[in-house]
């Protein structure tokens, strides 16, 4: 049975002022329930690809569809962008929690202000999610009083709260001290079990292998390899991929 | 020698003029805050045409002495403008101070707005919040906390700068001191009293500043 295509990216390009071409004519389909890991060297457009999906970065060209919501760069309106953003949520490298709000308020914010949910209902959902990511005893803490790992778990709860079609993880563990990486990866793994569609940009190769059912290798603004994990890691024809993998493995051993 | 009893007789006389100084300071604070917020918003959103104009105004106001601005406005522009000619000295001083301190306040406010990281705004947008919601719910509450200490500083500078009003003949603290001094010739005591009075007034506001700042620090 063919799975529903949830995300469709057509001829997506992005050049930054000054002429650097970060994404080169990318077309991609992602199925509902897919967990896609995106790996590759720094500066190859992985994060930019993710950020184009919610228009935090406005593409130079191309069409993006999530669910029934389609946005074409050439004709996009503010309303379309808002609609597109409500289809997804993002977990950031630097957590980006709202500093003037407690953990609970961070998770509730979009429920009450974007989805206009009654406060009591939003609070119930948010508390439940914070329990789920293991932050039940820190709900009234401000971000400044939380460790990096704790902040990121609140960030994951915040992204889950809006019940999105897809969660975009933008290097969720890259800014963390090594001691916190494990707990955050474990939290993401828990979320993955729920069958939610996820796109994860990461440098954690072994994590990608465990959690994803599809791995993309990006280099120089293009998707060079796109395969299920078993195939992906046994692909010896791709010289650049092998170089990258052996480089990363060496790093991980250190 | 320092005449203690004269000093203590002159302090109350000068202290009586505190309301004049405060009147100028409070009027100017009100208008400079409005101007400062306007300029800061224009600069934050990089509004075309207005932004370069505001930049020029801020640079000019910060780059010229306030005495020169006051004289240029009150004596210089008066040559050509009936409006300025008909102004009372107090209004003229309040006007110049408003523009001058407004320029400084705009920088304090702009800095506070900029201090809220891009990442938090992106997070809010990624959740589907509108630009207005982002400013109102995330940026402003954090920016106000950052802006208040430097704005207090601007306010204290404004109180001190208002002493220039005496140059246009306004009977404020300095004005009273000049009158007193020209009669008694005891400048040492008179201007000693002036500084004491200013110091007391500003310490009074400083006391509030400390309380407010402590509250802000505890917030989150």
């Amino acid at each position: 049975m063919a799975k529903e295509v949830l995300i469709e990216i057509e001829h997506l390009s992005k050049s930054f002022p000054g002429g650097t071409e970060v994404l080169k004519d990318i077309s991609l389909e992602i199925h509902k329930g897919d967990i896609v890991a995106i790996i590759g060297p720094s500066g190859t457009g992985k994060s930019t690809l993710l950020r184009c999906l919610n228009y935090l970065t406005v593409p130079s060209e191309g069409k993006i569809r999530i669910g029934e919501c389609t946005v074409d760069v050439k004709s996009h309106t503010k309303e379309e962008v808002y609609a597109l953003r409500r289809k997804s949520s993002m977990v950031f490298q630097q957590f980006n929690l709202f500093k003037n709000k407690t953990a609970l308020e961070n998770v509730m914010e979009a429920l009450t202000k974007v989805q206009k949910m009654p406060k009591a209902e939003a609070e119930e959902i948010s508390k439940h999610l914070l329990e789920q990511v293991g932050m039940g005893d820190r709900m009234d803490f401000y971000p400044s009083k939380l460790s990096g790992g704790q902040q990121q778990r609140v960030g994951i709860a915040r992204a889950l709260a809006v019940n999105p079609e897809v969660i975009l993880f933008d290097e969720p563990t890259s800014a963390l001290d090594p001691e916190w990486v494990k707990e955050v990866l474990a939290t993401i793994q828990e979320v993955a079990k729920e069958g939610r569609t996820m796109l994860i940009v990461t440098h954690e190769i072994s994590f990608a292998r465990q959690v994803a059912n599809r791995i993309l290798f990006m280099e120089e603004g293009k998707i060079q390899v796109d395969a299920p994990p078993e195939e992906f890691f046994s692909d010896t024809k791709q010289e650049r991929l092998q170089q990258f993998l052996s480089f990363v493995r060496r790093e991980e051993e250190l | 020698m320092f005449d203690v009893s004269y000093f203590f007789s002159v302090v109350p006389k000068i202290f009586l003029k505190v309301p004049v100084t405060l009147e100028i300071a409070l009027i100017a604070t009100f208008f400079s805050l409005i101007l400062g917020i306007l300029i800061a918003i224009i600069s934050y959103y990089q509004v075309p045409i207005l932004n370069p104009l505001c930049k020029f105004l801020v640079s000019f106001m910060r780059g010229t002495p306030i005495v020169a601005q006051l004289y240029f406005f009150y004596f210089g522009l008066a040559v050509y403008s009936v409006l300025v000619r008909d102004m009372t000295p107090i209004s003229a001083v309040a006007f110049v101070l408003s523009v001058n301190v407004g320029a400084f306040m705009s920088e304090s406010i702009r800095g506070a707005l900029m201090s809220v990281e891009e990442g938090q705004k992106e997070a809010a947008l990624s959740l589907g919040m509108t630009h207005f919601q982002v400013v109102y719910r995330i940026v402003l509450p954090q920016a106000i906390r950052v802006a208040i200490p430097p704005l207090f500083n601007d306010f204290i500078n404004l109180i001190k700068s208002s002493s220039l009003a005496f140059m246009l003949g306004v009977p404020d603290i300095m004005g009273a001191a000049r009158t007193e001094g020209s009669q008694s010739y005891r400048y040492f005591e008179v201007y000693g009293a002036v500084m004491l009075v200013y110091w007391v007034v500003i310490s009074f506001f400083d006391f509030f500043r400390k309380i407010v700042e402590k509250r802000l620090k505890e917030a989150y």
Side-chain angles (χ1 to χ4, degrees):
Chain A
M1 194 186 80
K3 281 191 289 180
E4 178 196 338
V5 176
L6 178 69
I7 301 173
E8 216 173 334
I9 300 169
E10 284 174 52
H11 302 293
L12 184 73
S13 300
K14 175 65 188 176
S15 303
F16 282 110
T20 354
E21 212 183 350
V22 190
L23 297 178
K24 295 173 187 164
D25 192 27
I26 288 182
S27 293
L28 188 65
E29 282 183 355
I30 288 162
H31 295 100
K32 201 173 169 66
D34 267 357
I35 295 172
V36 182
I38 306 173
I39 64 170
S42 301
T44 50
K46 307 183 299 290
S47 289
T48 309
L49 174 63
L50 220 56
R51 292 167 57 89
C52 281
L53 286 176
N54 60 8
Y55 264 61
L56 284 183
T57 299
V58 180
S60 308
E61 246 170 279
K63 218 194 258 183
I64 288 166
R65 177 179 74 80
I66 304 179
E68 76 283 7
C69 181
T70 308
V71 182
D72 190 335
V73 179
K74 286 194 191 74
S75 59
H76 73 278
T77 64
K78 229 189 228 172
E79 283 64 37
E80 282 178 343
V81 171
Y82 286 141
L84 182 77
R85 283 179 182 154
R86 284 197 288 270
K87 293 279 166 201
S88 67
S89 60
M90 194 171 230
V91 174
F92 296 85
Q93 184 177 357
Q94 303 288 346
F95 334 129
N96 296 353
L97 295 187
F98 309 131
K99 285 188 179 158
N100 56 329
K101 297 183 185 299
T102 62
L104 181 62
E105 288 166 345
N106 262 277
V107 182
M108 284 173 63
E109 182 69 13
L111 292 179
T112 54
K113 297 300 155 191
V114 180
Q115 302 188 354
K116 315 283 182 197
M117 193 181 276
K119 211 178 152 207
E121 195 185 339
E123 196 171 315
E124 201 190 310
I125 294 175
S126 304
K127 280 184 173 168
H128 175 76
L129 287 169
L130 283 168
E131 300 276 0
Q132 193 190 325
V133 297
M135 291 295 293
D137 55 343
R138 296 274 193 283
M139 291 199 235
D140 296 322
F141 282 50
Y142 284 97
S144 61
K145 300 284 185 292
L146 299 173
S147 75
Q150 291 170 334
Q151 287 189 57
Q152 193 59 301
R153 283 188 282 155
V154 175
I156 293 169
R158 181 175 69 176
L160 282 169
V162 291
N163 195 22
E165 298 274 359
V166 54
I167 304 184
L168 312 168
F169 291 86
D170 187 9
E171 302 198 26
T173 58
S174 299
L176 291 173
D177 290 336
E179 48 184 318
W180 309 121
V181 172
K182 251 195 193 152
E183 62 176 55
V184 170
L185 292 182
T187 308
I188 297 173
Q189 233 150 358
E190 281 300 311
V191 175
K193 284 183 193 152
E194 296 171 4
R196 204 183 285 275
T197 316
M198 311 202 312
L199 262 64
I200 311 170
V201 170
T202 184
H203 290 291
E204 304 280 338
I205 303 295
S206 45
F207 166 72
R209 184 177 208 158
Q210 283 169 35
V211 77
N213 61 354
R214 186 174 164 192
I215 304 181
L216 309 182
F217 175 67
M218 276 186 80
E219 202 187 25
E220 291 173 352
K222 284 183 180 160
I223 296 166
Q224 308 285 6
V225 184
D226 176 357
E230 321 81 64
E231 255 177 71
F232 186 90
F233 288 100
S234 55
D235 187 345
T236 45
K237 293 188 294 290
Q238 293 280 346
E239 201 182 324
R240 284 292 298 142
L241 173 59
Q242 290 310 319
Q243 277 175 2
F244 176 72
L245 288 177
S246 65
F247 174 75
V248 173
R249 285 196 185 109
R250 227 176 303 142
E251 291 269 290
E252 277 182 357
E253 277 162 24
L254 285 177
Chain B
M1 270 310 291
F2 186 72
D3 188 333
V4 178
S5 65
Y6 177 69
F7 179 76
F8 281 112
S9 74
V10 93
V11 166
K13 279 188 197 165
I14 287 171
F15 208 90
L16 274 178
K17 298 298 177 188
V18 168
V20 181
T21 292
L22 286 187
E23 185 191 339
I24 300 172
L26 292 180
I27 293 173
T29 302
F30 178 75
F31 286 108
S32 57
L33 254 181
I34 292 178
L35 184 70
I37 291 170
L38 273 177
I39 296 178
I41 290 172
I42 287 168
S43 145
Y44 185 67
Y45 286 107
Q46 311 249 319
V47 181
I49 305 167
L50 289 180
N51 190 29
L53 283 177
C54 288
K55 262 194 184 151
F56 171 74
L57 179 75
V58 170
S59 155
F60 198 71
M61 284 294 131
R62 298 178 66 185
T64 52
I66 190 161
V67 187
Q69 293 166 13
L70 193 63
Y71 271 42
F72 176 79
F73 179 78
Y74 192 67
F75 298 115
L77 283 185
V79 177
Y80 299 103
S81 164
V82 184
L83 190 75
V84 177
R85 232 175 293 155
D86 289 347
M87 255 184 182
T88 63
I90 285 201
S91 319
V93 172
F95 178 83
V96 172
L97 281 175
S98 299
V99 180
N100 178 285
V101 179
F104 281 92
M105 285 188 172
S106 76
E107 291 287 284
S108 306
I109 297 167
R110 192 178 67 101
L113 289 173
M114 306 285 268
S115 76
V116 181
E117 302 106 338
E118 207 54 39
Q120 288 187 59
K121 296 182 228 166
E122 288 187 345
L125 289 175
S126 77
L127 291 167
M129 287 168 80
T130 62
H131 280 279
F132 179 76
Q133 284 177 322
V134 175
V135 170
Y136 187 71
R137 305 271 315 161
I138 310 298
V139 177
L140 278 188
Q142 294 183 48
I144 286 170
R145 185 168 104 138
V146 179
I148 282 179
L151 284 179
F152 245 112
N153 259 337
D154 294 331
F155 173 65
I156 282 167
N157 279 330
L158 194 149
I159 295 177
K160 289 187 285 185
S161 302
S162 76
S163 65
L164 293 170
F166 87 101
M167 301 180 88
L168 304 188
V170 176
D172 70 334
I173 294 176
M174 279 293 284
R178 190 162 65 164
T179 313
E180 188 65 33
S182 64
Q183 285 162 9
S184 68
Y185 298 107
R186 304 211 64 109
Y187 294 111
F188 189 85
E189 287 84 352
V190 168
Y191 288 109
V194 164
M195 289 201 286
L196 179 70
V197 169
Y198 271 114
W199 187 49
V200 168
V201 169
I202 285 168
S203 299
F204 173 77
F205 287 112
D206 233 13
F207 174 71
F208 281 103
R209 181 183 64 94
K210 282 197 187 111
I211 293 177
V212 171
E213 278 182 22
K214 198 168 161 246
R215 280 273 178 83
L216 289 172
K217 224 175 223 162
E218 284 165 356
Y220 53 85

